[in-house]
Amino acid sequence: MSKFQISPKFQISRRKFLTSASLGLSGIMLSGCDAFDSGLGVGSGLRSFLENANGLTWRAQRLLAGRGALAPEFTEADIRQPQRPNGVTAPDDDTYKGLLANNFADWRLEVTGLVEKPLSLTREQLQNMPSRTQITRHDCVEGWSCIAKWTGTPLSLVLDQAVVKPEARYVMFHCLDTIEQSLSGDIKYYGSIDLIDARHPQTILAYGVNGKPLPVENGAPLRVRVERQLGYKMPKYLYKIELVDGFTKIGGGRGGYWEDNGYDWYGGI
């Protein structure tokens, strides 16, 4: 067994430990697809417990597996069904629908923030960059898993092209789908990872799944794959990457939509 491989038995035990550490023994299943219990106020005991546990899976994951450890990869024979869609599967946003109507010809991936060379990349430009294909398992916090073959551009190549500034610590992902409507305006999905996971070899900007172009229900034209983390850490309908030194002033200040609603920021498996 190579230094990057983890035995299946240990993998299952580690996942159970990290999941229980993140969610506690509350008996409440946090759903990556359904809204977090609105009855949990910021000052509630359960929410405080979850917030205090948010750093545990991050530290435990790095301690147990290391920075460069790879998520398990599978074979074509292990793909038994199409990639299961979840969350928003058909954005109703006018901007998205306009891009979809033109087969995303006018779509651009913006790379902004703490970079020396801001980028505006077409889907064709991304597809012309070196690609990576990997067959991995998608684990949803709801409790289901699905194996699929993903193809995309390694995020590290895009970051290298943009030349990340030394003070940058996190990659923020901004998406086109509205996850919540409020009196102050629509809230688009967003999330974040640190630069260690952003430069991990299995972290890709996926434009294909199971040998075909990424469909709308799975996040077309582009979604993130961070294979050592749960599904809610892999935003769909991506349109902007922003390099930041922190996220206290973005949204609820916890690094992502679901994180602002009590989820673990790291979401490791």
Side-chain angles (χ1 to χ4, degrees):
M1 182 178 293
S2 74
K3 65 180 181 180
F4 290 133
Q5 292 177 320
I6 300 173
S7 71
K9 182 177 180 181
F10 178 72
Q11 184 77 15
I12 293 171
S13 299
R14 182 166 64 97
R15 183 183 179 196
K16 287 181 178 178
F17 166 71
L18 295 176
T19 302
S20 62
S22 174
L23 303 184
L25 300 177
S26 63
I28 294 179
M29 173 62 74
L30 301 184
S31 165
C33 311
D34 300 321
F36 191 78
D37 186 352
S38 60
L40 291 176
V42 173
S44 74
L46 177 56
R47 182 175 294 279
S48 296
F49 173 83
L50 290 172
E51 290 176 352
N52 289 334
N54 275 350
L56 179 58
T57 59
W58 185 16
R59 294 191 295 269
Q61 180 92 4
R62 294 275 165 79
L63 176 65
L64 293 171
R67 291 187 175 192
L70 300 177
E73 296 194 17
F74 301 86
T75 69
E76 296 269 2
D78 296 309
I79 303 173
R80 298 184 177 93
Q81 63 186 66
Q83 173 60 34
R84 176 176 173 173
N86 66 303
V88 175
T89 58
D92 195 36
D93 305 77
D94 289 340
T95 299
Y96 182 84
K97 290 191 291 185
L99 293 168
L100 175 61
N102 198 25
N103 195 28
F104 301 109
D106 299 322
W107 172 89
R108 299 291 184 274
L109 175 67
E110 306 292 334
V111 184
T112 65
L114 296 174
V115 295
E116 299 287 351
K117 300 178 179 180
L119 304 175
S120 181
L121 301 171
T122 66
R123 185 167 56 169
E124 183 179 13
Q125 286 175 313
L126 283 167
Q127 291 172 341
N128 286 336
M129 295 175 69
S131 66
R132 178 184 173 94
T133 295
Q134 56 204 27
I135 301 176
T136 53
R137 186 184 64 227
H138 180 104
D139 291 306
C140 182
V141 74
E142 287 185 314
W144 58 266
S145 298
C146 187
I147 293 174
K149 180 170 70 174
W150 301 94
T151 299
T153 306
L155 177 55
S156 60
L157 297 183
V158 174
L159 297 181
D160 288 343
Q161 193 174 121
V163 188
V164 177
K165 293 183 178 180
E167 59 267 34
R169 296 180 59 201
Y170 303 99
V171 176
M172 293 290 304
F173 302 111
H174 299 276
C175 305
L176 288 165
D177 56 319
T178 294
I179 190 69
E180 180 182 331
Q181 293 179 325
S182 67
L183 295 177
S184 58
D186 292 346
I187 299 175
K188 304 288 188 180
Y189 196 88
Y190 62 99
S192 67
I193 58 176
D194 65 17
L195 282 172
I196 293 173
D197 283 310
R199 293 190 176 280
H200 188 274
Q202 291 175 312
T203 299
I204 63 173
L205 302 175
Y207 46 73
V209 62
N210 293 335
K212 298 179 180 179
L214 191 68
V216 169
E217 59 265 28
N218 294 136
L222 197 71
R223 72 168 299 160
V224 185
R225 295 298 306 174
V226 189
E227 302 298 353
R228 301 189 302 174
Q229 292 170 281
L230 290 164
Y232 69 87
K233 296 298 295 184
M234 308 187 204
K236 302 178 293 186
Y237 314 113
L238 188 63
Y239 81 95
K240 185 169 74 171
I241 290 173
E242 181 183 8
L243 277 294
V244 299
D245 59 2
F247 30 72
T248 56
K249 297 181 180 179
I250 301 173
R254 294 181 174 86
Y257 174 78
W258 287 116
E259 293 87 333
D260 288 343
N261 287 277
Y263 279 39
D264 175 27
W265 173 75
Y266 188 68
I269 53 175

